[in-house]
Amino acid sequence: MSSNLSDLTQLEKANQDYLSGLELLQTSCIKCRFTPNYIDAIPLFKKAADAYRGSGNFQKEINSREKLAKCYKSEKSAWEEGNEYEKISRIQLNQLKSAPDAYNSVINSFHAYASNRSYDDGIKALTKISNEFIDSGNEEEAVKVLTFAFDEIDRYYHVITLDKEENHHYIYECIDKYIDLLFSKEDYEKSAEVAHKSAEMIKKDQKEEKRLICKYYGFQAIAEICGKKEDKFETTIETGKGFESNGDEFCSNISRFVNVVKQNHKDNERIIKSLFNSLSRKVPASMAKMINIKIIKEYANNTSEIKTDASEEDDLK
């Protein structure tokens, strides 16, 4: 009984704070308020949002956070605005189970972050929500989020990477997540396209990042061989080899692996397993799985699945 009364009191206080916040956003000649008072409304909407969450009233929490985002935008607090939309997106997905609304909110979040050139926070928000979409079984929304994220990375890459001292790993984590998801859906054509664009994008602005350029040409080649585009595969492999360095011969190793598998010789089983184990440690999980299915099983007619073994002796050395 006391718990119910406490929840009711909390809800009543939240309603009061929310309405007080709304009142401050209204102009009034009688009260000599000629512009909305966003600054004083912010703490009221904050308290209301937290109280609504505590009482499990998630739609009203969203309403409060939307008002907060509006206040922050008016006060040119872009990071805070983006953070509120990011919170709204998670509520819509995880509590209200509305993936389309969650998608729209996280896009609003990115635009708010980007307006303050906080591209890192925007891309991280997109990557995190895409993971939550995947975990909740909303893969199509995850593809939409990551497609948007990749287009924005492509658009702002030069600006984002101007600071050579900053760690830009979050960019490549997002790209890898996108390629991995496309591989899980067996969309090899789009996977190859994204990998190719990534290599070209990095090559244009970050010429010294040869390891990354080689990596994405390698991903492109794997997508092409899985998609039976063998003529394109050979060309891509040769391009990627041009960015290899000592100790990192990723594209050469992909080529060697494919050639050994195609020989379909029983004596090559050990070397195939070792090469596969080495490659699987350098590619996303779904890509490793499809290498197993689309290359080993189909080219070598091998019906048994090869298990990865990190302790296996690496025959690439």
Side-chain angles (χ1 to χ4, degrees):
M1 182 71 174
S2 59
S3 175
N4 291 337
L5 286 173
S6 176
D7 288 343
L8 183 60
T9 303
Q10 186 181 36
L11 188 57
E12 289 174 343
K13 184 65 170 64
N15 289 334
Q16 183 180 6
D17 287 333
Y18 181 77
L19 291 174
S20 297
L22 286 181
E23 185 179 353
L24 289 174
L25 299 186
Q26 303 299 316
T27 56
S28 172
C29 293
I30 296 174
K31 296 181 180 180
C32 297
R33 187 189 301 137
F34 303 109
T35 58
N37 185 349
Y38 296 112
I39 292 177
D40 289 340
I42 286 172
L44 293 169
F45 288 130
K46 273 186 177 180
K47 287 194 294 183
D50 291 341
Y52 284 136
R53 184 168 189 81
S55 63
N57 197 323
F58 299 112
Q59 186 55 59
K60 286 193 172 183
E61 180 188 357
I62 288 173
N63 295 342
S64 299
R65 295 198 183 282
E66 286 176 338
K67 295 300 181 185
L68 268 174
K70 178 181 177 180
C71 291
Y72 284 131
K73 183 175 183 177
S74 298
E75 291 300 309
K76 302 192 185 308
S77 298
W79 189 91
E80 287 78 5
E81 179 193 357
N83 189 43
E84 289 305 323
Y85 278 122
E86 193 176 346
K87 291 176 182 177
I88 290 169
S89 180
R90 287 202 170 84
I91 299 165
Q92 290 167 328
L93 177 61
N94 298 316
Q95 275 73 45
L96 300 186
K97 310 300 181 185
S98 178
D101 287 337
Y103 170 80
N104 290 331
S105 293
V106 80
I107 299 304
N108 288 337
S109 173
F110 176 84
H111 285 311
Y113 285 131
S115 70
N116 195 40
R117 300 172 72 91
S118 297
Y119 302 110
D120 55 340
D121 290 305
I123 293 167
K124 288 173 186 176
L126 294 168
T127 306
K128 284 187 286 187
I129 200 68
S130 73
N131 288 331
E132 294 183 33
F133 275 128
I134 293 169
D135 292 342
S136 61
N138 292 286
E139 286 195 355
E140 293 306 318
E141 295 296 334
V143 170
K144 285 173 61 179
V145 169
L146 291 171
T147 300
F148 175 85
F150 182 75
D151 289 344
E152 296 305 306
I153 289 171
D154 191 27
R155 180 181 306 174
Y156 293 112
Y157 187 77
H158 175 68
V159 177
I160 296 171
T161 56
L162 281 175
D163 185 356
K164 305 300 182 185
E165 300 301 318
E166 184 182 345
N167 190 334
H168 303 112
H169 65 89
Y170 60 90
I171 296 175
Y172 311 114
E173 287 177 5
C174 183
I175 295 173
D176 290 358
K177 172 64 66 177
Y178 188 25
I179 293 173
D180 189 47
L181 182 56
L182 292 171
F183 253 83
S184 74
K185 300 176 75 63
E186 300 187 41
D187 190 344
Y188 305 118
E189 184 175 354
K190 186 64 177 180
S191 299
E193 177 189 325
V194 171
H196 177 76
K197 281 187 175 181
S198 299
E200 293 294 311
M201 175 180 69
I202 299 166
K203 184 167 62 174
K204 180 178 178 182
D205 287 315
Q206 303 285 314
K207 293 182 175 63
E208 72 277 10
E209 292 286 358
K210 289 187 176 182
R211 180 187 61 81
L212 286 170
I213 298 168
C214 178
K215 166 185 163 179
Y216 287 113
Y217 278 129
F219 284 6
Q220 178 186 348
I222 291 170
E224 287 166 345
I225 196 67
C226 286
K228 305 297 184 182
K229 306 290 186 182
E230 295 190 44
D231 53 337
K232 292 184 177 180
F233 168 80
E234 296 295 344
T235 301
T236 302
I237 283 293
E238 290 306 312
T239 303
K241 285 179 181 179
F243 295 92
E244 291 182 339
S245 57
N246 290 334
D248 185 15
E249 298 178 344
F250 185 49
C251 288
S252 294
N253 292 334
I254 293 170
S255 179
R256 183 183 175 197
F257 168 73
V258 171
N259 288 333
V260 171
V261 170
K262 283 183 175 181
Q263 291 173 12
N264 196 13
H265 197 290
K266 188 172 183 179
D267 292 343
N268 288 340
E269 286 184 3
R270 190 183 68 84
I271 188 69
I272 289 174
K273 181 176 181 180
S274 183
L275 289 165
F276 173 74
N277 283 328
S278 180
L279 286 178
S280 67
R281 292 193 291 269
K282 296 181 178 180
V283 302
S286 294
M287 188 180 292
K289 179 180 178 181
M290 300 319 295
I291 288 173
N292 213 335
I293 295 172
K294 292 294 181 179
I295 301 178
I296 296 176
K297 286 187 177 181
E298 293 193 12
Y299 280 99
N301 297 318
N302 189 333
T303 57
S304 61
E305 182 179 350
I306 292 181
K307 304 293 185 182
T308 58
D309 182 0
S311 64
E312 180 91 10
E313 181 183 355
D314 189 356
D315 284 330
L316 294 175
K317 295 180 180 178

